[in-house]
Amino acid sequence: FVSIASYRDDVCPSTLESLYEMANKPENIFVGICQQNTQDDIDCIFNYGNDNKLKNNISIIRLNHHEAKGPTWARYLCSTLYNNETYFFQIDSHTKLVKGWDTKCINMIKSLKASGKSQNPVLSHYPAAWDSFNQNNIGVTTICKSFFNERNMISFLGAEFINTNEMQPSPYVAGGFLFCEGKMLNDVPFDPTLDYLFVGEEILHSIRIWT
């Protein structure tokens, strides 16, 4: 199950395209979208008409952009479309995927469990920006440097590239790339009461997932 919260994002259709075109098993990919658009904005699934065999794999909640209440609430709405799929993947609506992303992520989860490092592993990082993404030049990023912001809330700096091809432990999860077993949505359900929360979304989710 892939969760995509989109606010007036004109590359959301391209994200969906990349998601399916780059998957090894696109028929196994089920997407839940919360779309918050104006009447003139491009629809996320305009390319998935009646003749597309994957159209039944996509569920969407369409809201007017005036009804939007921030990313945390939108991600909660996406989670209501989850239907007990084996894995859960949360991405932003402006994301490009590498070939075989589904197999790669699943194998990483299985590897972490088999190694005994965790029986509830979560993969997360900040993916490359849309304009700088290069299919043949993918590095590993880590989120680590922390500080207290002006409101005394825990915060952290953006991702840093590190010189390794190995998975690294991280104290935080990023909202734009979060992959884990689907059971996490039962253990750590999204909170429907966090309207307009932006700063603090990732810190709160990191703490709840950890505990």
Side-chain angles (χ1 to χ4, degrees):
F1 176 81
V2 184
S3 164
I4 303 177
S6 175
Y7 180 82
R8 304 197 63 190
D9 197 335
D10 59 1
V11 297
C12 185
S14 299
T15 294
L16 207 55
E17 207 170 281
S18 177
L19 199 68
Y20 280 111
E21 286 186 358
M22 304 306 281
N24 281 340
K25 296 183 178 180
E27 68 278 5
N28 289 347
I29 309 302
F30 293 85
V31 180
I33 302 171
C34 176
Q35 174 179 280
Q36 302 148 108
N37 277 0
T38 71
Q39 288 185 337
D40 297 328
D41 292 328
I42 188 169
D43 194 89
C44 282
I45 61 172
F46 83 99
N47 280 332
Y48 290 82
N50 292 329
D51 58 339
N52 193 305
K53 62 182 180 181
L54 294 173
K55 66 180 178 64
N56 292 328
N57 284 32
I58 303 170
S59 302
I60 185 167
I61 297 171
R62 290 184 175 90
L63 300 175
N64 186 283
H65 74 294
H66 288 303
E67 299 176 272
K69 297 180 183 178
T72 311
W73 185 69
R75 297 197 207 280
Y76 159 73
L77 292 179
C78 289
S79 75
T80 66
L81 301 173
Y82 171 70
N83 192 30
N84 294 315
E85 287 84 1
T86 308
Y87 296 97
F88 172 76
F89 188 27
Q90 177 177 288
I91 57 174
D92 283 335
S93 53
H94 37 271
T95 302
K96 295 179 182 177
L97 290 300
V98 298
K99 183 62 181 173
W101 65 265
D102 49 342
T103 302
K104 290 177 186 290
C105 288
I106 290 170
N107 286 343
M108 286 181 187
I109 293 290
K110 290 180 176 179
S111 171
L112 286 167
K113 293 185 71 172
S115 71
K117 291 180 179 179
S118 175
Q119 291 309 301
N120 297 291
V122 174
L123 306 176
S124 191
H125 81 133
Y126 277 130
W130 181 268
D131 293 335
S132 63
F133 179 88
N134 184 335
Q135 178 74 28
N136 299 313
N137 186 26
I138 303 298
V140 175
T141 60
T142 183
I143 310 168
C144 191
K145 293 183 179 178
S146 313
F147 61 96
F148 287 92
N149 66 16
E150 66 279 0
R151 287 178 281 178
N152 287 323
M153 293 171 58
I154 301 171
S155 190
F156 53 85
L157 299 178
E160 291 182 304
F161 282 97
I162 53 177
N163 187 24
T164 181
N165 289 320
E166 301 297 324
M167 289 181 281
Q168 299 293 311
S170 171
Y172 303 119
V173 297
F177 187 107
L178 197 162
F179 191 99
C180 55
E181 291 180 300
K183 65 178 183 178
M184 190 206 74
L185 283 185
N186 297 321
D187 297 336
V188 191
F190 280 79
D191 191 331
T193 67
L194 300 176
D195 298 1
Y196 306 110
L197 178 67
F198 180 74
V199 176
E201 174 203 5
E202 292 168 321
I203 290 293
L204 178 59
H205 217 50
S206 298
I207 293 169
R208 294 184 64 224
I209 288 174
W210 175 255
T211 54

